[in-house]
Amino acid sequence: MKKVTSLLLLIVFISMNVMSQTYMTYHFEQHKFGDDIAILEMLDNWHQKYGVSYKSGAFQLFDVDPSITDKTTHRIDWYGDINNWGPAETNPEQELAFGNIFFRMNSLVADYTHHESGRALYSDGNSFDNYPYRMVYRMTIDDLDTYIEAFSQLMESEEMIAIKGERPAMMGQTISGVNDGKAYWSYLGFFDREDFMRVTVETQNTEAFKKFISTVSDIRTVEETRGETLIKSWN
């Protein structure tokens, strides 16, 4: 009951901040292989039955790459403009059915492993829609203004644009939840894991990347990198 209550509190929480692009996410370990299919079906049925759409952003389910640091297998993510947040229309029956999904997930989830909410600080403006494989870099940063400027210069450089094309890039901040001191993140989109590896190798050979590393090496520490694949997004 405790883990379900915590999840519902997170889902309804709206963080107050000056940046409009915000998110709330909850990581979990599925009870047994294949339980994510049942979770997907429950979420899909709820969206279809009540015709749920969102004022901005989307509600998403991800398959998270394995890691030695925790047992996370999946995550649920809800993002959008904090000033235009939530379902386009709602009613008590719809809200009750949504809550019931997470109570029913109790038998499908072994543990909720991580939760947080946060905001975007930079985006290159490209859409993640066609790039289901994502890579997140979780970081500590000592000089935020310098890092944001260096990151934006890298992503908007001619060399980088020639390599990544319309692949999206964001950078942001964890505001609340469990972050283990890793208060900042960058988030990049790719076609698949092989695409991520190819783009990364090409990027590391550019002068723009070398300049970026020279600028941020003393002010940033990458604490964790982890990939994930979008299972489904409900807009």
Side-chain angles (χ1 to χ4, degrees), residues 161-232:
I161 292 174
I163 293 171
K164 76 184 188 72
E166 295 184 352
R167 292 172 183 81
M170 295 185 72
M171 184 262 164
Q173 176 186 23
T174 301
I175 296 175
S176 67
V178 181
N179 61 51
D180 300 323
K182 294 167 277 192
Y184 299 97
W185 49 263
S186 59
Y187 193 60
L188 311 177
F190 303 90
F191 292 119
D192 50 34
R193 186 179 288 104
E194 289 72 24
D195 185 49
F196 155 70
M197 294 173 65
R198 181 186 62 78
V199 170
T200 299
V201 170
E202 291 184 18
T203 297
Q204 291 175 344
N205 290 323
T206 65
E207 292 303 317
F209 182 76
K210 294 173 184 177
K211 178 182 178 181
F212 168 74
I213 292 299
S214 176
T215 301
V216 306
S217 60
D218 292 333
I219 63 171
R220 177 204 66 167
T221 302
V222 177
E223 305 286 353
E224 179 185 25
T225 61
R226 197 161 189 178
E228 63 182 13
T229 301
L230 177 67
I231 296 176
K232 186 158 186 177

Side-chain angles (χ1 to χ4, degrees), residues 68-138:
I68 62 173
T69 59
D70 63 40
K71 296 181 179 181
T72 297
T73 58
H74 296 79
R75 77 178 179 98
I76 290 171
D77 180 72
W78 192 357
Y79 77 92
D81 185 336
I82 199 63
N83 299 310
N84 193 30
W85 185 270
E89 296 181 4
T90 187
N91 60 68
E93 179 184 346
Q94 171 184 322
E95 293 173 355
L96 179 61
F98 181 72
N100 284 337
I101 289 175
F102 292 99
F103 282 106
R104 292 165 61 193
M105 279 176 61
N106 240 0
S107 62
L108 304 172
V109 172
D111 191 21
Y112 290 104
T113 56
H114 177 85
H115 65 89
E116 67 180 63
S117 60
R119 59 176 178 167
L121 299 175
Y122 166 83
S123 171
D124 65 2
N126 292 335
S127 172
F128 282 85
D129 287 351
N130 297 318
Y131 302 94
Y133 188 73
R134 318 285 172 78
M135 183 60 65
V136 59
Y137 297 79
R138 302 181 68 84

Side-chain angles (χ1 to χ4, degrees), residues 126-165:
N126 292 335
S127 172
F128 282 85
D129 287 351
N130 297 318
Y131 302 94
Y133 188 73
R134 318 285 172 78
M135 183 60 65
V136 59
Y137 297 79
R138 302 181 68 84
M139 307 170 286
T140 55
I141 297 174
D142 296 327
D143 185 339
L144 181 59
D145 290 340
T146 297
Y147 184 84
I148 293 176
E149 182 179 0
F151 187 76
S152 63
Q153 288 179 353
L154 170 65
M155 291 302 161
E156 295 166 16
S157 68
E158 292 183 1
E159 285 182 300
M160 195 69 226
I161 292 174
I163 293 171
K164 76 184 188 72

Side-chain angles (χ1 to χ4, degrees), residues 15 17 19-24 78-82 85 118-119:
S15 63
N17 58 79
M19 303 298 290
S20 63
Q21 187 65 38
T22 58
Y23 70 93
M24 292 175 267
W78 192 357
Y79 77 92
D81 185 336
I82 199 63
W85 185 270
R119 59 176 178 167

Side-chain angles (χ1 to χ4, degrees), residues 10-29:
L10 179 73
I11 292 297
V12 300
F13 172 73
I14 297 179
S15 63
M16 301 302 294
N17 58 79
V18 297
M19 303 298 290
S20 63
Q21 187 65 38
T22 58
Y23 70 93
M24 292 175 267
T25 189
Y26 219 102
H27 299 218
F28 63 91
E29 175 193 1

